[in-house]
Amino acid sequence: MKSVQEPVNTKSINLLDFDRKGLAAFFVDLGEKPFRATQLLKWLYQEGVEDFDLMTNLSKSLRAYLTEHCYIATPEIVLEKVASDGTCKWVMQTHCGNRIETVFIPEEGRGTLCVSSQIGCALACSFCSTAQQGFNRNLSTSEIIGQLFVAQKRLGADNKITNVVMMGMGEPLLNFDNAVAAMNLMMDDFTFGLSKRRVTVSTSGVVPAMYRLSQVCDVSLAVSLHAVTDELRDELVPINKKYPLKELMDACRDNAKIAPRRTVTFEYVMLDGINDSVQDARGLIKLLKTVPSKINLIPFNPFPNSSYRCSSKAAIERFKTLLNDAGIVTTVRKTRGEDIDAACGQLIGQVQDKSRRHLKLHPVGSERAA
Ligand code: SAH
């Protein structure tokens, strides 16, 4: 008996998965000229055209091929929340049903998009709520650039995204190839054309990937430091057990040699009684002596079941003054989007955890705070 044939979906190539180089190689494989890549990028990212039939500078046969085999897909916005300060958080669903979060932070003269790189996070930083969600998988290039694509469309021309920080859910340098492809795309003149100074990747300190990064991608680097001794950093940012402070600092020095970075931004979350003493500030000054650096102090943002507390305003001010007096440019990150859980470390999405990791929530931290 003849079985009934299911219609086959032949559309298997998401064109947002390619950066310009990848797209040029794709067209060359099809027997086309590499410049088709820039034509296609312009249609997709600058003209907002997704119907291949309307891409009039491509040949009819190429348009037919693209229509048959290719598609454009991004994560979909399933929830939008706008905070009282104008910060906007989107929960976006991926094709596999998990949810990630993306945040837009409007400021005078600029608009920053905080982009996720993974579904959940495999690192167990004890003060971060994303860590509690566990880990599902890396986001694809299209899912990373797709957040920018969707967000800019939603915001409209009057709210331009001028800056991107890879500071959403996940560790971007553990999703190296896709994160780099997406960042290279963001900076491409034929897409969003963001300047390399306005794209920042933040890492918890994946040392080998930091060396690789300096070779292939010219973005600004931020490092989540949070502690100045291995003992405390092992506890706050457990990847420190694998790549301790000395190795991390060597990698930072290496990165700082490369334009446009020259300086590395160090993020330092302010935890009451844990890492905010005068001694910690002195340790930080000593640690950063040989790295051209800026410091961004982040007031700790609480989340359910976290037993850390944010340092007092006075402690943050004292810490900042000590660093500034030692000649290190230090700023305190303004907390944005707190009332919609969109602030640093508050992004949770909806993650089908595959890591089966059961987190113990910062036992030592709470002791020290007491
Ligand atoms: N995994 C990368 C990207 C995340 S960036 C990294 O670790 O750098 C998010 C930034 O917010 C990091 O500096 C992170 O340490 C910080 N953060 C995490 N949880 C926080 C919280 N509860 N309050 C304030 N900052 C937090």
Side-chain angles (χ1 to χ4, degrees), residues 89-285:
K89 177 170 93 170
W90 295 287
V91 178
M92 298 197 193
Q93 181 150 320
T94 62
H95 63 83
C96 60
N98 284 283
R99 292 177 176 186
I100 53 169
E101 299 187 350
T102 309
V103 179
F104 178 69
I105 306 144
E107 281 171 290
E108 193 62 39
R110 68 180 191 176
T112 302
L113 194 71
C114 179
V115 168
S116 292
S117 58
Q118 297 182 311
I119 299 176
C121 189
L123 304 176
C125 299
S126 56
F127 53 89
C128 177
S129 70
T130 305
Q132 287 192 55
Q133 310 308 311
F135 177 70
N136 185 274
R137 65 168 171 84
N138 282 335
L139 291 176
S140 62
T141 302
S142 58
E143 288 168 331
I144 300 173
I145 195 72
Q147 295 168 61
L148 188 47
F149 199 84
V150 169
Q152 188 60 81
K153 224 188 245 180
R154 178 83 189 113
L155 290 165
D158 291 342
N159 279 304
K160 261 214 156 319
I161 296 169
T162 58
N163 295 54
V164 168
V165 290
M166 299 291 290
M167 294 186 186
M169 297 168 68
E171 168 49 56
L173 295 192
L174 287 179
N175 183 13
F176 191 88
D177 292 343
N178 295 341
V180 165
M183 290 190 291
N184 280 335
L185 258 178
M186 293 167 196
M187 297 186 290
D188 196 303
D189 286 343
F190 295 96
T191 66
F192 298 99
L194 296 184
S195 117
K196 48 194 176 185
R197 288 173 196 283
R198 289 167 175 257
V199 177
T200 302
V201 65
S202 178
T203 182
S204 55
V206 188
V207 165
M210 289 168 70
Y211 285 104
R212 272 178 79 199
L213 181 74
S214 61
Q215 304 302 315
V216 296
C217 190
D218 245 359
V219 287
S220 302
L221 180 71
V223 173
S224 294
L225 189 60
H226 309 317
V228 295
T229 62
D230 280 320
E231 190 196 356
L232 180 59
R233 197 162 189 272
D234 282 354
E235 177 195 320
L236 298 179
V237 188
I239 199 173
N240 192 69
K241 291 179 195 152
K242 203 163 178 189
Y243 307 115
L245 280 169
K246 179 172 176 333
E247 289 179 31
L248 178 62
M249 287 303 135
D250 286 345
C252 290
R253 267 186 289 277
D254 178 74
N255 266 269
K257 280 188 219 142
I258 312 250
R261 291 177 207 122
R262 291 203 184 94
T263 59
V264 175
T265 300
F266 290 94
E267 294 156 287
Y268 194 96
V269 67
M270 296 301 293
L271 302 170
D272 181 31
I274 305 282
N275 65 355
D276 62 350
S277 68
V278 171
Q279 198 187 343
D280 288 308
R282 294 212 176 107
L284 191 51
I285 293 162

Side-chain angles (χ1 to χ4, degrees), residues 3 25-26 51 73-74 106 137 147 171 178 203 221 289 292 295 297 304 320-321 330 345-346:
S3 65
F26 166 74
D51 179 346
T74 62
R137 65 168 171 84
Q147 295 168 61
E171 168 49 56
N178 295 341
T203 182
L221 180 71
K289 216 153 96 197
I295 300 179
L297 301 176
K320 180 180 154 196
T321 307
T330 306
Q346 291 186 320

Side-chain angles (χ1 to χ4, degrees), residues 123-133 235-236 238 274 300 303-308 345 357-367:
L123 304 176
C125 299
S126 56
F127 53 89
C128 177
S129 70
T130 305
Q132 287 192 55
Q133 310 308 311
E235 177 195 320
L236 298 179
I274 305 282
F300 170 68
F303 52 89
N305 300 324
S306 74
S307 56
Y308 290 119
R357 178 165 45 74
H358 295 289
L359 278 178
K360 283 195 225 114
L361 277 176
H362 34 79
V364 188
S366 22
E367 276 162 29

